[in-house]
Amino acid sequence: TLDFHVFQSACHTLNVGQRLLLNQLLSHWIELGYRREDIVDVPGIFSVRGGIVDIYPPNSSHPYRIDLIGDEIESIRTFDPKTQRSVACANSIAVAPASETLPLLSNRLEVSHLISDLNFAGCTAIAREQMQEELSNIFSGQGVEDLLFYNGLLNQGCLLDYLPIDTVIALDGKEEL
């Protein structure tokens, strides 16, 4: 699970009237696991066409269309992903990560210690080289085909970290535990 503090710091809100640095925002969305596509029709995708930016956050039931004038958000609207037509106006968008594995936002110092402690003795030379190359690619901002393979290494969070401190958890069925 993604560390709660990493998740919390990655979430952000965009508001009508807000000024933004578009290239910086788009780079940040890529770090959050979003993919740039021509058409936004599923969660985790964004697109840019001139002064129009579409994004479909996974924490939303619908995508958003942001109209920019220069570097200012003029309007925000929801739209139908099938027809691509605007549905309703909105004042803001809450954007959450699109991926559970966010290596560029992880605590690199902690992760580098974990990686340096990995024992590749039981691996073939080919497997060891592939993992070392993929880990190097991950931390240089390049993608790898199966990022989820490294989820346990990169994400040291726990689902319980997302619950309030006074949460009561009841477990039932000791045979299944």
Side-chain angles (χ1 to χ4, degrees):
T1 300
L2 184 62
D3 179 88
F4 176 71
H5 300 292
V6 172
F7 175 82
Q8 199 171 34
S9 68
C11 293
H12 60 279
T13 303
L14 299 174
N15 300 295
V16 171
Q18 179 179 343
R19 292 192 180 282
L20 49 87
L21 299 171
L22 184 58
N23 289 335
Q24 187 177 0
L25 178 65
L26 301 179
S27 293
H28 183 59
W29 285 351
I30 290 169
E31 288 177 350
L32 296 181
Y34 286 86
R35 286 189 342 261
R36 186 174 183 162
E37 299 285 341
D38 293 332
I39 296 176
V40 172
D41 56 356
V42 294
I45 304 291
F46 74 91
S47 74
V48 181
R49 295 174 319 283
I52 298 172
V53 179
D54 293 345
I55 185 169
Y56 199 154
N59 56 311
S60 177
S61 58
H62 45 266
Y64 290 90
R65 179 158 292 141
I66 304 165
D67 287 309
L68 300 172
I69 292 185
D71 64 351
E72 184 176 332
I73 298 175
E74 179 187 33
S75 68
I76 300 173
R77 295 168 283 146
T78 59
F79 68 92
D80 183 323
K82 291 179 182 131
T83 65
Q84 298 290 304
R85 292 184 180 207
S86 296
V87 175
C89 290
N91 292 321
S92 63
I93 308 169
V95 179
S99 174
E100 186 179 352
T101 306
L102 303 175
L104 297 177
L105 300 180
S106 301
N107 183 339
R108 289 182 190 224
L109 188 58
E110 265 183 44
V111 174
S112 67
H113 286 310
L114 286 171
I115 292 170
S116 67
D117 291 342
L118 290 176
N119 181 353
F120 292 105
C123 296
T124 65
I126 293 171
R128 179 178 58 250
E129 287 173 17
Q130 179 181 351
M131 285 190 277
Q132 289 172 334
E133 180 181 339
E134 287 180 347
L135 288 167
S136 175
N137 287 344
I138 287 169
F139 288 105
S140 66
Q142 301 172 32
V144 295
E145 189 173 324
D146 192 12
L147 184 60
L148 290 178
F149 176 78
Y150 297 99
N151 198 19
L153 176 66
L154 300 172
N155 292 334
Q156 300 295 308
C158 173
L159 182 61
L160 298 177
D161 296 337
Y162 287 78
L163 301 175
I165 194 93
D166 59 351
T167 299
V168 175
I169 299 173
L171 303 174
D172 185 28
K174 68 179 180 179
E175 306 83 30
E176 296 174 15
L177 297 176

